[in-house]
Amino acid sequence: MIQYFDPKKDKTRDLGTPEKISEVQVSIEVDGVKVTVAEGTSVMRAAALVDINIPKLCASDNLEPFGSCRLCAVSIEGMRGMPASCTTPVREGMKVETQNNDLAKLRRNIMELYISDHPLDCLTCPANGDCELQDMAGTVGLREVRYGFEGENHLDAPTDDSNPYFSFDASKCIVCSRCVRACEEVQGTFALTVDGRGFDSKISVGPAEKFIDSDCVSCGACVQACPTSTLMEKSVIEQGQPDHSIVTTCAYCGVGCSFRADMKGDKVLRMVPDKNGQANQGHSCVKGRFAFGYATHKDRITSPMIRDSIDQPWQKVSWEEALAFAANRLKSIQLHHGRDSVGAITSSRCTNEETYLVQKLVRAAFGNNNVDTCARVCHSPTGYGLKATLNESAGTQTFESVMAADVILVIGANPTDAHPVFGSLLKKRLRQGAKLIVVDPRSIDLVDGPHVKAQHHLKLRPGTNVALLNALAHVIVSEGLEDKDFIAARCDDKAFQQWHSHISDQRHAPENTAEITGVDAQELRLAARLYATSGNGAIYYGLGVTEHSQGSSSVMAIANLAMVTGNLGRDGVGVNPLRGQNNVQGACDMGSFPHELPGYRHVSDNETRSLFEQEWQVTLDNEPGLRIPNMFESAIHGNFKGLYCQGEDIAQSDPNTQHVQKALTSMECIIVQDIFLNETAKYAHVFLPGSSFMEKNGTFTNAERRISRVRKLMPALAGKEDWQVTIELAKALGYEMNYEHPSEIMDEIARLTPSFHGVSYDRLDELGSIQWPCNEKTPLGTPIMHTEDFVGKAGTFAITEYIATPEKVNKRFPLLLTTGRILSQYNVGAQTRRTENQVWHGEDKFEIHPTDAQDRGINDGDWVGIASRAGTTALRAKISERMQPGVVYTTFHHPMSGANVVTTDNSDWATNCPEYKVTAVEATKVSEPSQWQADYQHFSKRQQHLLEQATITKP
Ligand code: SF4
Ligand code: SF4
Ligand code: SF4
Ligand code: FES
């Protein structure tokens, strides 16, 4: 095949129209150059592949061709007129001419018409030098415009500045509709339309007047698509064009989008999703693209601080002094209370290298295994459940794999809010015709959105996932829909037979589980048949599965479903946990659990331990350490006294806040390493300033097991990167760690971890990113897991008996509260609350069904007291048909909301993952915050005051 350019290796060049896949290859000649492409490819793309760039304005290779600007006209032998090359597919033997006098004249005329209705302010325009219209005017050789501005024009069209991040200057719009198509095809929101016809046509934001009031979710795809400065980032308008760019990885969710950070000196001007990004392919959401200002927010703390007790003002000190203070306290605690009286929590927001070092510090310098991570409270059941069934604690696919799915089962996940870029890809596949089953107590956006509708929404009662999943499996088995060949070839027969006889029992029949789940038996049967018989079936799940007392059972039940239908080991299928934080997968991989060394190897395994002992030159403890809830319990009982907490906010994110507060106030030394004085830091004795993802080198691993580079954009504000701080804390404790650069830490990880043997920074730079396992057997990584076996073993069906949660509704607490996230905020909100994203979600609301609200005399916007067996808080009501009667919902992004004041201590039987998703509550109209909220406000103000005092305290 003759092509001058490999679009698979570098997608940054815009080839005009999307790639077409076909076994039929077609050869044409463009300006005498032969090119062979897949049938269906446009003439424009074929030409671009041999470096012949036809002028264009309305075409872009991430959008279907539209053919409105006509700038791309070409001459084709045997064809009349001058067809648009973007909408003309190649035909065998076609001879195309892209340059001649007639074409040049036509293009100049078209461009002249555009420019005659466009402000001539290029020199002062913020897009000057980065404007396709300007470039094309030059390309077609336009030197003068014959028409003046006297006639009718759009030069006075208004500017819409309502979006906090970008502006829409209608006077510069050429109505190419790239923005409209980006919103539809890339983002799937359909917020924009072209109103009117001909000269009167203009871009409008649906029925709304302004972007801020429209359906727009501020993903920025339209801004990226716009070939003029009509849609433009305000940061660029205000500060000018960037002078250099660095590719890095988003630090928000587990999608792990790749971005080109456009910089001016040390300042990030804008984040542009990287077309080469293998997880996001040039798309992003509002958080990654726009909400990065927190990194330089005035609340950043850049001096190390210490204090003897939490009622004292902070004292700003040197790094040396802070680290010595921390180390002495930890040593003294261990001396008086024993080796196991201290521990650490690693961060799923930090890099792999940083979490690796924290667990190393615990095991090698603390001398115990008391290390845990926030995955404890989100995806620990995924680790347990997938390991027990599929023999590997990770998702099985790439995100791209969803494009080959025929039926998609989304359970306990809300991708359009929590994993938006994957959500957009999923919607794209649904628009192409894939079927959708949603299992969720709420009507999430996917259930019925623009051009997307679930075939089945199984609106179950919170806490009944296992009963529902078992019923789905029962239908499949009892109706003979299982994939017998797959089971025989790939699964352990004994385990299958046991599971088969268990699941065949009539107690799992949908007719018998309907009363438990609240889901109609016939609807469930139809959903089971759809999943089992539609071709490729893919399951995506989130915290609505894991954060339950039976979280691990649900994960195993999901794996059972995939195995029984043979939906594993190829494109378009699989079991896909949608990970919450950017590096949850990585934190788990790096040995952040108290029972596992990196690579999920148990601490009791002598061979593994001796490998690490040799490398680290210490003797390692062979007993698992404390999990986070055990640390709290032990602290309250006076046995656990010291905690090093890197980049996590357990005081806000963990359940039963009062219990957590009690544990924190029971400790003698809490060391918090963070970029802000978060809720946990208010209980701390040592504050070590953290570095944001912009200030360091490292890697993150996303939900697809994809390891991507995080690259330093600017110097660390506090002078040290997080990995350097951990090294120095270890040194202060008497344990030397010697690394000059995070790449050396990765080299050590690769040496010691079989699934990482082939990973290095050089390899990452070469390949862009790598999905582990990456080793001698799979040097390019592993996009799809379990293609031949389940990591050397047979798949194991697991018995998953439904056991109702102890959290029951009764007369006193008749409603079930479940929690989740919203698009514009992220987790505890420490980052997003310090950005303009606040305009969309400045407070957490309490969603309640109209019937439940009416029964209680609650109106929209009323303050509602929410009481559970654990505590009471108050939030403003949002009356919503999304809810089912008896079920209420809130988000947890604001500390004052106290969502976790009401969540209980119930947790997953296998992993202690808290049962955030099921809390029995009562809601009553109130006029003031709860006692906890009043106390919180008081405590918080006091801590803020103590922080402000630190600014006047001399070291
Ligand atoms: S706003 Fe930009 S992308 Fe949209 S129609 Fe106008 S010029 Fe084209
Ligand atoms: S920002 Fe995204 S959602 Fe909003 S109009 Fe543009 S493409 Fe659509
Ligand atoms: S989808 Fe996730 S990783 Fe991608 S930009 Fe949004 S927050 Fe960042
Ligand atoms: S680029 Fe082909 S018609 Fe606009």
Side-chain angles (χ1 to χ4, degrees), residues 163 166 179-180 182-184 187 189-192 205 211 214-223 231 283 290:
N163 184 289
F166 61 83
C179 53
V180 180
C183 192
E184 293 176 4
Q187 167 55 26
T189 291
F190 295 77
L192 302 176
V205 279
F211 269 85
S214 72
D215 290 339
C216 168
V217 293
S218 209
C219 72
C222 56
V223 179
L231 280 159
H283 190 36
F290 294 122

Side-chain angles (χ1 to χ4, degrees), residues 168 172-180 203 222 225-228 230-231:
F168 173 79
K172 293 183 170 163
C173 180
I174 58 169
V175 202
C176 67
S177 97
R178 269 167 70 166
C179 53
V180 180
I203 300 302
C222 56
C226 183
T228 67
T230 311
L231 280 159

Side-chain angles (χ1 to χ4, degrees), residues 308 329 332-333 337 640-642 664 666-670 685:
D308 271 324
R329 281 219 160 183
S332 157
I333 288 171
H337 301 278
F640 187 80
K641 294 281 184 186
L664 294 175
S666 304
M667 291 188 222
E668 288 174 12
C669 179
I670 296 180
H685 308 88

Side-chain angles (χ1 to χ4, degrees), residues 460-473:
L460 80 177
R461 265 187 217 115
T464 63
N465 285 331
V466 174
L468 184 136
L469 288 160
N470 282 346
L472 289 172

